[in-house]
Amino acid sequence: PSCRRYVAGGRCKSTARLEGKVVIITGANTGIGKETARDLARRGKVIIACRDTAKAEAAASEIRAETGNQEVIAKKLDLADTKSIREFAERFLAEEKELHILINNAGVMLCPYSKTADGFEMQLGVNHLGHFLLTFLLLERLKQCAPARIVNVSSLAHHGGRIRFHDLHGEKSYNRGLAYCHSKLANVLFTRELARRLQGKFQRQVGFTANALHPGSVYSELVRHSFVMTWLWKIFSFFLKTPCEGAQTSIYCAVAEELESVTGQYFSDCQPAYVSPRGRDDETAKKLWSVSCELLGIQWD
């Protein structure tokens, strides 16, 4: 029915092949990450980077069987632990000579207050800081293999977010819904500042881009921490995208030929979408960048 078609939203129509190219997708053992991996595995080599190695291996072997592509590999990556992120990057860089597309897809949503191994508030820690560090560690390899793309899965929820520098880890006050919004705004600001830094001669010559996206409201496990949301999701599932429909904009940002030199943008339904005024604030983006570097103990100029 047309209502269902409307819900499904845009589709990625690109048939671009990724022969000889390597893609990393975080959190790709379930939901839109898994569907993104399934599509890209029909095009090239895919590394599924997940916290739960058993689930990751199961997803990888299912995708290998379905696509006939043996180059779908599961690797352990826990974004709530910087030690795990560093180990993943180190091992990857030792084993793989190429990296062309990094899709920062993994996310936690609406979880009760908790902290990562490094003491960061969980949603900001995983959704923003973990991916910030991962991108930093893999950046040189992406540059060497350019044209390259970084794709950050954000959300419409960024509209409700603000970067609360005075209480970044929610120790003074914590609302799990708002904390999710804050972390998704951080994704948009990170993308914006990263794109700005990648620009200049290098980016224009070779097409090294960073874009963010909203996948749509997707029927997935992401709401598992909230009984109410799980219940609502079930009731309204007809009005939610399937994971396959939700993956379309991630796939689009990763492969669409027309985005070769498009950077620092935000997409939804495979087209440019409106970014909240806070998501366009360059001063906040710069400050978040330096605070993130401080928290992670890295120098990223």
Side-chain angles (χ1 to χ4, degrees):
S2 55
C3 163
R4 191 67 207 108
R5 266 205 306 279
Y6 174 75
V7 170
R11 285 199 80 80
C12 175
K13 298 187 178 76
S14 168
T15 54
R17 306 290 305 157
L18 299 173
E19 267 110 4
K21 298 204 167 176
V22 179
V23 184
I24 290 176
I25 309 176
T26 65
N29 60 332
T30 175
I32 63 172
K34 184 176 175 184
E35 295 306 322
T36 305
R38 196 191 304 275
D39 179 287
L40 297 182
R42 296 195 175 95
R43 306 168 189 255
K45 180 170 184 170
V46 175
I47 290 167
I48 292 178
C50 308
R51 187 185 56 203
D52 186 326
T53 37
K55 281 186 180 170
E57 194 39 72
S61 75
E62 180 191 315
I63 293 170
R64 284 195 295 266
E66 193 184 306
T67 60
N69 180 0
Q70 293 313 300
E71 291 197 301
V72 180
I73 300 163
K75 301 265 186 208
K76 180 164 178 64
L77 168 66
D78 183 354
L79 287 157
D81 183 351
T82 57
K83 191 164 158 285
S84 170
I85 299 169
R86 288 179 179 280
E87 280 168 7
F88 168 84
E90 221 166 280
R91 217 170 351 198
F92 173 83
L93 294 171
E95 291 167 9
E96 299 284 343
K97 291 293 154 263
E98 311 266 315
L99 177 59
H100 304 86
I101 301 168
L102 171 62
I103 303 179
N104 291 317
N105 162 84
V108 289
M109 179 181 183
L110 303 174
C111 46
Y113 189 76
S114 59
K115 287 187 165 179
T116 68
D118 302 86
F120 309 140
E121 183 273 313
M122 187 61 73
Q123 299 190 76
L124 186 78
V126 169
N127 299 352
H128 167 61
L129 291 166
H131 282 128
F132 187 94
L133 178 60
L134 179 66
T135 306
F136 167 74
L137 295 170
L138 298 175
L139 196 74
E140 280 312 307
R141 183 60 48 89
L142 282 158
K143 272 189 178 166
Q144 289 160 12
C145 300
R149 299 185 190 194
I150 296 165
V151 178
N152 295 324
V153 179
S154 178
S155 166
L156 187 66
H158 85 269
H159 286 276
R162 53 174 60 212
I163 307 298
R164 301 167 67 245
F165 289 109
H166 65 287
D167 187 22
L168 215 48
H169 302 295
E171 286 156 332
K172 299 192 182 89
S173 73
Y174 180 75
N175 171 302
R176 50 185 172 172
L178 287 176
Y180 179 70
C181 296
H182 303 334
S183 74
K184 293 287 115 180
L185 173 60
N187 292 154
V188 171
L189 291 167
F190 167 45
T191 306
R192 191 177 178 88
E193 181 61 11
L194 178 59
R196 191 186 69 78
R197 286 161 176 261
L198 293 177
Q199 260 173 330
K201 241 177 23 233
F202 174 77
Q203 194 272 338
R204 275 198 297 279
Q205 279 162 354
V206 297
F208 188 6
T209 65
N211 290 299
L213 67 105
H214 166 55
S217 300
V218 179
Y219 192 64
S220 76
E221 288 176 23
L222 198 56
V223 293
R224 63 183 173 270
H225 292 292
S226 164
F227 171 75
V228 177
M229 286 291 278
T230 304
W231 185 71
L232 286 170
W233 246 223
K234 279 199 169 69
I235 295 173
F236 293 109
S237 61
F238 181 79
F239 298 103
L240 297 170
K241 291 186 178 188
T242 63
C244 178
E245 290 160 355
Q248 294 303 311
T249 308
S250 299
I251 298 162
Y252 175 75
C253 289
V255 302
E257 297 86 344
E258 64 267 31
L259 298 186
E260 217 159 88
S261 54
V262 174
T263 191
Q265 300 301 307
Y266 170 76
F267 294 86
S268 175
D269 279 328
C270 301
Q271 55 191 10
Y274 179 73
V275 177
S276 76
R278 287 200 186 102
R280 298 193 299 265
D281 184 335
D282 291 329
E283 286 317 299
T284 306
K286 289 186 180 112
K287 187 173 177 186
L288 178 64
W289 185 282
S290 64
V291 168
S292 300
C293 287
E294 247 164 77
L295 288 168
L296 293 162
I298 57 176
Q299 290 247 263
W300 188 356
D301 301 322

